[in-house]
């Protein structure tokens, strides 16, 4: 029993250390995507550009160059109620997106830059390749024209049309459709084939990002690409995977995305078409993941429209699932998603009632601890009974000496006679650890908790306690819990380890999200109250709790 408890505590400590490493990576300034001081003029001067036509042709389009010469172009600005966007007239790519509802710093005035020149390149690209696609022209990607250089959303919908006429007189209109309150942007290509020949084009959409560097040996909260197909709904494919091997997957529908902490960008094509998903490493330490639609033949003197949707915003599971049934998996709760998802739903419901995420965390802790009370009672009862059996166990050791077989048999007979389960104190702890891990990912992944205030000094429950008050209180509560628990360990080394546990865990929790530490502190306080109630009831029944 003693070794089992020690093993569980060591396991919990190891898990806490790994979680600390993962969370610390996510908040390490060298890992975060920060705003660049570069202005948009620097993006269009023709130096070190990412929106340079780095599309990936299919195997039948090997003649299409992967790099197109730079030409001067203009920038079109769009402002909606949720973000500001900049579109490059060359290629009609989205080269910048700032999320107005998400400041870079808490209570700051600068909107979070999701796309743009941010420690490298992060752009959304799209175009038409194939035999007659304007993006397949060896002279360079098309320069679109627009009737305005700036657009503002005033109603419920804003359309930004970009026009291009090729040498044959074919008119291509690339239109972005913005809607009030939505982070998904519609893309529509209208091809007007006023020639006497059949045209062949192929729509491609892709996300380009500079390869991210890691500053730790452990994996960070995921930063990289992900895609989904009918066979594989959610598959992470990071920069090292692309360096090793490019994907070339055909699927009906599907999606591609780039995932980071709290935010995601994703291309969702026509789900009724057979599409090709691909990746490619590019010069300049950048990588892309994209989708090519099927080849479309447009008869002479006819029009044809091609559509896709681009999402650029927070990890809102409901909004993502509305675009694609599997895209909500970008809110990555890991293997314990089946616990994390209902816990987060409960947490949101509590927040809707209490209006404060800190109070919601306290409320969910009370609910979880109440639900686990029968197991907690069984745990403490088993531990107290084990404590009472220690003198008998010591006598058995002296009686049987080195005969471990007879000692083990005598122990089992005694457990059976006394109706004691030696693992009874471990099982409830094992059940609580998945909940602890599931809540960790809820606090880590849920954008709703980003910059969420509680009160007093706790202004961001997704960040560590700036004054380390919660970790210290947690250590104190853990120390009180240990003092109240009957000590079953007789080995001096194990006793010393148990004594240092509050200090070790407090150190680990210094850098944990304050919301998670708040949960664990409240959990300990409730455990202390439950323990006092349980032990009082046991003493009334004549069960000795302490020596």
């Amino acid at each position: 029993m003693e070794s089992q408890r020690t093993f569980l505590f060591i396991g919990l400590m190891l898990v806490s250390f790994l979680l600390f490493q993962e969370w610390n990576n996510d908040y390490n300034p060298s890992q975060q995507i920060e705003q660049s001081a570069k202005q948009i003029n620097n993006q269009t001067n023709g130096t070190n550009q990412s929106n340079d036509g780095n599309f990936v042709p299919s195997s039948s389009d090997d003649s299409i160059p992967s790099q197109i010469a730079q030409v001067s172009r203009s920038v079109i600005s769009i402002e909606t109620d949720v973000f500001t966007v900049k579109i490059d007239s060359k290629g009609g790519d989205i080269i910048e997106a700032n999320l107005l509802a998400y400041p870079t710093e808490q209570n700051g005035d600068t909107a979070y830059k999701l796309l743009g020149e941010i420690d490298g390149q992060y752009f959304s690209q799209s175009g038409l390749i194939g035999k007659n696609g304007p993006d397949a022209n060896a002279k360079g990607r098309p320069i679109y024209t627009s009737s305005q250089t700036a657009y503002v959303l005033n109603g419920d919908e804003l359309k930004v049309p970009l026009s291009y006429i090729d040498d044959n007189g074919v008119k291509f209109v690339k239109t972005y459709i913005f809607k009030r309150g939505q982070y998904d942007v519609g893309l529509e290509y209208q091809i007007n084939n006023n020639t006497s020949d059949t045209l062949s084009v192929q729509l491609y959409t892709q996300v380009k990002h500079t390869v991210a560097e890691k500053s730790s040996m452990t994996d960070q909260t995921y930063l990289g690409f992900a895609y989904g197909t009918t066979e594989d709904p959610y598959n992470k494919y990071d920069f090292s995977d692309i360096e090793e091997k490019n994907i070339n997957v055909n699927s009906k529908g599907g999606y591609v995305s780039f995932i980071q902490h709290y935010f995601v960008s994703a291309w969702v094509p026509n789900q009724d078409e057979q599409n090709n998903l691909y990746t490619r490493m590019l010069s300049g330490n950048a990588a892309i993941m994209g989708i090519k639609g099927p080849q479309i033949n447009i008869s002479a003197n006819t029009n044809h429209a091609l559509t896709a949707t681009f999402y650029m915003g927070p990890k809102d599971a409901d909004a993502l699932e509305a675009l694609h049934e599997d895209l909500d998996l970008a809110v990555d709760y890991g293997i314990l998603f089946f616990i994390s998802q209902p816990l987060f739903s409960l947490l949101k419901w509590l927040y809707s009632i209490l209006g404060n995420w800190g109070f919601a965390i306290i409320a969910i802790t009370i609910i979880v601890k109440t639900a686990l009370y029968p197991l907690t009672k069984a745990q403490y009862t088993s531990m107290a009974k084990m404590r009472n059996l220690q003198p008998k166990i010591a006598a058995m050791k002296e009686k049987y000496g080195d005969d471990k077989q007879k000692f083990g048999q005598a122990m089992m007979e005694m457990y059976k006679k006394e109706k004691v389960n030696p693992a009874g104190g471990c099982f409830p702890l094992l059940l609580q650890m998945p909940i602890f891990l599931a809540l960790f990912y809820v606090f880590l992944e849920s954008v709703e908790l980003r910059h969420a205030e509680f009160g007093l000094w706790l202004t961001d429950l997704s960040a560590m306690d700036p004054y380390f008050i919660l970790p210290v209180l947690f250590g104190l509560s853990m120390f009180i819990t240990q003092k109240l628990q009957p000590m079953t360990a007789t080995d001096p080394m194990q006793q010393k380890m148990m004594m240092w546990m509050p200090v070790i865990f407090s150190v680990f929790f210094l850098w944990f999200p304050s919301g998670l530490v708040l949960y664990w502190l409240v959990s300990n306080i409730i455990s202390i109250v439950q323990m006092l109630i349980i032990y009082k009831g046991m003493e009334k029944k004549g069960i000795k709790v302490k020596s």
Side-chain angles (χ1 to χ4, degrees):
M1 174 64 185
E2 294 88 341
S3 59
Q4 287 175 327
R5 287 189 62 201
T6 303
F7 172 76
L8 287 172
F9 273 113
I10 293 174
L12 181 59
M13 182 175 64
L14 178 60
V15 169
S16 300
F17 174 72
L18 294 176
L19 291 178
F20 155 70
Q21 288 279 32
E22 185 169 356
W23 181 87
N24 185 54
N25 290 336
D26 206 45
Y27 279 88
N28 190 323
S30 64
Q31 295 292 330
Q32 296 187 35
I33 297 181
E34 302 173 350
Q35 285 205 342
S36 173
K38 298 180 181 179
Q39 300 298 319
I40 192 64
N41 289 337
N42 292 337
Q43 297 177 5
T44 58
N45 283 338
T47 58
N48 193 28
Q49 300 302 312
S50 67
N51 48 334
D52 53 4
N54 285 317
F55 52 84
V56 176
S58 64
S59 58
S60 62
D61 294 322
D62 291 337
S63 61
I64 301 174
S66 61
Q67 302 255 345
I68 304 298
Q70 298 284 332
V71 296
S72 61
R73 62 265 198 184
S74 61
V75 173
I76 302 161
S77 301
I78 298 100
E79 182 177 350
T80 75
D81 60 321
V82 296
F83 42 44
T84 60
V85 176
K86 293 185 183 298
I87 298 176
D88 193 336
S89 63
K90 181 179 181 180
D93 296 331
I94 298 177
I95 58 174
E96 186 176 307
N98 302 290
L99 308 183
L100 300 179
Y102 297 90
T104 302
E105 298 179 356
Q106 191 172 23
N107 300 321
D109 297 327
T110 304
Y112 185 83
K113 182 181 284 189
L114 178 62
L115 272 68
E117 291 279 355
I118 318 164
D119 290 346
Q121 306 165 343
Y122 185 11
F123 298 128
S124 164
Q125 299 178 319
S126 57
L128 297 175
I129 52 177
K131 181 180 178 181
N132 304 108
D135 291 88
N137 193 328
K139 295 180 180 179
R141 298 187 69 197
I143 303 295
Y144 288 91
T145 59
S146 175
S147 59
Q148 301 173 217
T149 58
Y151 293 82
V152 177
L153 175 66
N154 292 318
D156 293 330
E157 183 178 275
L158 172 65
K159 291 187 176 182
V160 180
L162 310 174
S163 300
Y164 172 75
I165 300 177
D166 68 9
D167 295 338
N168 297 318
V170 178
K171 185 176 182 179
F172 300 88
V173 180
K174 182 178 186 178
T175 303
Y176 286 103
I177 305 171
F178 300 85
K179 295 183 179 180
R180 182 171 297 277
Q182 296 186 15
Y183 291 94
D184 51 292
V185 180
L187 172 67
E188 180 182 283
Y189 266 100
Q190 192 73 34
I191 303 106
N192 181 11
N193 181 13
N194 52 10
T195 70
S196 58
D197 299 322
T198 297
L199 302 182
S200 177
V201 297
Q202 188 177 17
L203 174 65
Y204 78 91
T205 55
Q206 63 187 31
V207 177
K208 178 178 181 181
H209 200 291
T210 299
V211 175
E213 296 181 358
K214 295 182 180 180
S215 63
S216 173
M217 293 179 64
T218 60
D219 290 335
Q220 61 183 14
T221 297
Y222 187 69
L223 176 69
F225 297 99
Y227 68 91
T229 65
T230 51
E231 292 78 18
D232 194 350
Y234 181 69
N235 192 349
K236 295 177 181 177
Y237 211 77
D238 62 19
F239 298 106
S240 59
D241 293 325
I242 298 175
E243 289 175 345
E244 182 177 341
K245 181 181 179 181
N246 284 313
I247 64 168
N248 182 22
V249 178
N250 294 317
S251 173
K252 184 177 180 179
Y255 68 87
V256 296
S257 64
F258 187 85
I259 296 174
Q260 63 191 75
H261 193 202
Y262 293 134
F263 303 104
V264 60
S265 65
W267 274 109
V268 180
N270 189 325
Q271 296 299 294
D272 296 326
E273 296 178 343
Q274 288 292 328
N275 300 301
N276 174 254
L277 284 63
Y278 60 86
T279 60
R280 180 71 60 85
M281 291 298 299
L282 305 172
S283 60
N285 201 32
I288 56 175
M289 175 176 281
I291 298 178
K292 291 192 294 288
Q295 180 175 288
I296 302 298
N297 295 319
I298 305 170
S299 302
N301 298 308
T302 61
N303 297 329
H304 191 85
L306 298 173
T307 60
T309 302
F310 182 63
Y311 182 92
M312 46 183 177
K315 289 181 178 177
D316 183 331
D318 293 335
L320 293 171
E321 187 177 17
L323 292 178
H324 190 284
E325 60 181 355
D326 299 321
L327 192 52
D328 63 316
L329 296 175
V331 186
D332 192 357
Y333 292 133
I335 60 173
L336 296 175
F337 68 92
F338 57 92
I339 301 177
S340 296
Q341 288 176 346
L343 282 176
F344 180 62
S345 297
L346 175 59
L347 189 65
K348 284 200 301 182
W349 179 76
L350 292 170
Y351 172 75
S352 68
I353 297 174
L354 301 173
N356 183 291
W357 285 108
F359 291 142
I361 290 172
I362 294 174
I364 199 174
T365 309
I366 295 173
I367 292 173
V368 169
K369 292 296 291 183
T370 301
L372 292 176
Y373 179 74
L375 292 175
T376 302
K377 184 177 181 179
Q379 174 188 0
Y380 292 141
T381 301
S382 176
M383 291 171 63
K385 289 182 178 180
M386 285 296 298
R387 172 69 180 81
N388 290 336
L389 293 178
Q390 291 305 308
K392 294 183 179 180
I393 294 175
M396 287 182 183
K397 287 183 178 178
E398 185 176 349
K399 178 180 178 180
Y400 294 106
D402 295 332
D403 193 337
K404 294 182 178 181
Q405 183 176 359
K406 289 186 177 181
F407 174 73
Q409 291 175 348
M411 286 275 289
M412 295 305 297
E413 291 177 1
M414 182 185 65
Y415 289 149
K416 185 177 181 179
K417 180 181 178 181
E418 298 290 340
K419 297 180 180 181
V420 174
N421 182 1
C426 304
F427 184 64
L429 182 61
L430 288 174
L431 285 181
Q432 292 182 59
M433 285 187 65
I435 296 176
F436 170 73
L437 294 173
L439 278 172
F440 173 84
Y441 281 103
V442 166
F443 297 140
L444 192 65
E445 278 288 295
S446 303
V447 70
E448 290 85 352
L449 291 173
R450 181 180 185 263
H451 296 168
E453 295 188 17
F454 178 30
L456 300 176
W457 74 97
L458 294 177
T459 59
D460 186 355
L461 290 171
S462 66
M464 68 182 192
D465 185 335
Y467 302 109
F468 308 118
I469 295 175
L470 286 184
V472 172
L473 292 176
F474 165 81
L476 180 61
S477 69
M478 191 173 182
F479 176 77
I480 295 173
T481 302
Q482 283 193 354
K483 286 298 182 181
L484 291 174
Q485 285 180 348
M487 177 63 70
T488 59
T490 57
D491 182 71
M493 180 61 69
Q494 292 184 18
Q495 291 180 350
K496 288 182 179 180
M497 289 179 61
M498 299 291 290
M499 181 180 65
W500 281 101
M501 280 294 176
V503 177
I504 295 172
F505 275 92
S506 294
V507 172
F508 283 147
F509 278 23
L510 290 178
W511 292 274
F512 267 40
S514 56
L516 185 65
V517 184
L518 176 64
Y519 161 78
W520 211 245
L521 170 62
V522 176
S523 178
N524 276 2
I525 293 173
I526 297 174
S527 294
I528 292 172
V529 175
Q530 291 179 339
M531 197 181 305
L532 293 173
I533 295 172
I534 293 169
Y535 287 167
K536 186 176 181 180
M538 292 170 61
E539 288 175 351
K540 287 182 178 180
K541 295 179 180 179
I543 301 176
K544 189 177 180 181
V545 176
K546 291 187 177 182
S547 58

